[in-house]
Amino acid sequence: MIDNGVYTPAHVLASGIRSGSLSSAAVVGAAIARAREINPRLNAVIALDEAAAMQSARAADEAVRNGCEIGRLHGLPITIKDCFEVAGFAAVNGAPELQGYRPRTHAPAVQRIVDAGAIVIGKTNVPRYSLDLQTFNDVFGVTRNPWDPTRTPGGSCGGAAVALATGVTSLELGTDLAGSLRIPAHSTGVCSLKPSFGVVPVSGVLSNVPGLLRRPDLVVAGPMARTVADLELLLDVVAGPTAPDAAGWRLDLPPSRRQPGELRVAAWLDDDICPVEQGMAAVLDAACRALDEDGVAMDRDARPAFEASEYFRTYLQLMYAEMSAGFPESVFRAFAAAARRNAEHSGWTPLTLMPWAVTQG
C-alpha cells in the first residue's frame, strides 16, 4: 500500500504521481511533515521551503490533470546535499563565511533533476566544506544517526543519508571524495552509488574556495536512495556531459555482450591494509556464492598488478592536495605534516593518516 511518501520507493511514487493515482501535494506534504517530525532529534534537514514546495506540488497535480508533458520525476519531493547550488536556498556547505551566499541558478546536476519534474523541498546537512567522516559544522550543528542518536551517520552526506533513512525523501544527490556517499549509506542502511569520474557534473558544487570554476580532482557526484532501482532512476536523470563537453563525449554504453553464465568475476574481499569485519566478510562471501550458483565463474585469488599499499599512498597524496586548496596556512601545514607521515610511516592503516579533525579548525 502506498503511503504518500514515507518509505515508498521513488519510482513507485513517481509513477503514481504521473498516472494521477497519487497527488504530488499529498506526497510533498508528507515529506515536509516527516522532516519537521525527525529534525528536532536528528538535525538532518537544514533548510525547508514549505510554501514554494507546496505551490510547485499543486502545479504538478494541475499539469497531470491537464494532460501536460511531464518528466520522470514529476511532482516528486527531493532534498539536496548542501554543497550543491540550488536557486532559492542558501548554499552554505557548513562554512560560516558562506551563510549569506544565495546562488541565482541551480548546479547543472540539480537543474537536470528539476527539469525532470522533481520538487526540491530542502537541503541536508554536511560537515564544513563537506570534508569529514562525520556531519557537524558550526552553522547548523550535529546530525545524528537515526538508529542510535549517540552515534554519527557518517559524512559528508550525513544529512542526506538520515533524510533517506527516516523517510523524509526517497532520493538524494550527494558527492564523494573519500567515502562521502558510501560511508553514510553504510552507517544508516541506505544505498548510494559512486559513479566514475565525470559521469555526473560537479560544477555548482561548492569548495573551500568560493567561486572556483575548476573541476576538482577525484570528486564525483552521485545518487543516494533506499533501493537500487531508485539509484538507477536518479543516475539516469543526472548522468551525462554538460554543454561544453557534449561535443567531445557522450554516455552511451552498449548492452552487455555476455550472459550471466559467461561472466567472470574476481573477488578481492580482504587485504592487510583494509581488513574486513567478520560480519561484512560473511555478507560478501554469500554474494560470491550466489554468483557462483548462478553460473558466474568466480576467482577469489586474482589480484591487480599493483601493490595496494602504494596505490593508497598515491591516492592520499592526491586527496590531501584536493582537500587543502585554499585553506588557511595553519591548516595547510597540518595537511603537509600528515602527508609527510604518510610518506614515512610504516605499519600504517588508512584511518590513522587522515587528519579529519583538522577540517574542524
Side-chain angles (χ1 to χ4, degrees), residues 26-51:
V27 174
V28 170
I32 292 171
R34 185 63 170 155
R36 297 197 181 282
E37 178 186 356
I38 66 99
N39 227 44
R41 186 168 62 101
L42 302 176
N43 192 37
V45 182
I46 49 87
L48 274 174
D49 191 340
E50 181 173 353

Side-chain angles (χ1 to χ4, degrees), residues 8 17 28 34 48 54 94 114 142 147 149 159 167 240 277 280 283 290 308 343:
T8 300
I17 294 171
V28 170
R34 185 63 170 155
L48 274 174
M54 292 305 300
V114 172
V142 179
W147 299 97
E277 289 187 353
M280 180 60 68
V283 171

Side-chain angles (χ1 to χ4, degrees), residues 14-191:
S15 177
I17 294 171
R18 288 197 307 270
S19 69
S21 63
L22 273 180
S23 159
S24 174
V27 174
V28 170
I32 292 171
R34 185 63 170 155
R36 297 197 181 282
E37 178 186 356
I38 66 99
N39 227 44
R41 186 168 62 101
L42 302 176
N43 192 37
V45 182
I46 49 87
L48 274 174
D49 191 340
E50 181 173 353
M54 292 305 300
Q55 182 178 0
S56 296
R58 289 188 288 268
D61 288 333
E62 184 68 17
V64 171
R65 288 192 292 269
N66 291 336
C68 298
E69 183 176 346
I70 55 180
R72 298 181 66 185
L73 304 181
H74 183 80
L76 187 73
I78 186 172
T79 55
I80 301 290
K81 182 181 181 182
D82 192 35
C83 64
F84 285 92
E85 293 182 332
V86 180
F89 290 90
V92 180
N93 204 20
E97 65 271 23
L98 293 179
Q99 288 185 77
Y101 176 53
R102 298 186 69 88
R104 297 181 179 180
T105 59
H106 299 312
V110 175
Q111 186 64 58
R112 292 174 181 179
I113 290 171
V114 172
D115 289 344
I119 299 170
V120 180
I121 65 169
K123 302 191 79 178
T124 50
N125 203 22
V126 299
R128 187 170 185 173
Y129 304 132
S130 295
L131 293 176
D132 214 328
L133 294 173
Q134 51 78 53
T135 298
F136 160 82
N137 62 71
D138 289 326
V139 181
F140 300 114
V142 179
T143 297
R144 302 185 182 278
N145 194 307
W147 299 97
D148 182 350
T150 67
R151 298 179 181 270
T152 180
S156 63
C157 299
V162 173
L164 285 163
T166 56
V168 173
T169 186
S170 56
L171 294 175
E172 251 279 359
L173 182 65
T175 56
D176 194 309
L177 166 66
S180 285
L181 282 162
R182 295 159 289 164
I183 294 169
H186 169 81
S187 299
T188 58
V190 300
C191 302

Side-chain angles (χ1 to χ4, degrees), residues 186 269-270 274-289 300:
H186 169 81
L269 304 184
D270 205 353
C274 191
V276 179
E277 289 187 353
Q278 184 175 355
M280 180 60 68
V283 171
L284 295 172
D285 182 70
C288 290
R289 284 188 278 105
R300 294 172 180 256

Side-chain angles (χ1 to χ4, degrees), residues 127-134 136 155-156 176-180 182-183 312 315-316 319-320 323 327 331 334-335 338 341 349-361:
R128 187 170 185 173
Y129 304 132
S130 295
L131 293 176
D132 214 328
L133 294 173
Q134 51 78 53
F136 160 82
S156 63
D176 194 309
L177 166 66
S180 285
R182 295 159 289 164
I183 294 169
F312 200 83
Y315 165 75
L316 287 178
M319 185 192 72
Y320 288 138
M323 293 173 66
F327 275 132
V331 178
F335 272 84
R341 291 197 300 274
T349 59
L351 291 180
T352 64
L353 294 175
M354 293 184 179
W356 301 106
V358 171
T359 66
Q360 295 305 308

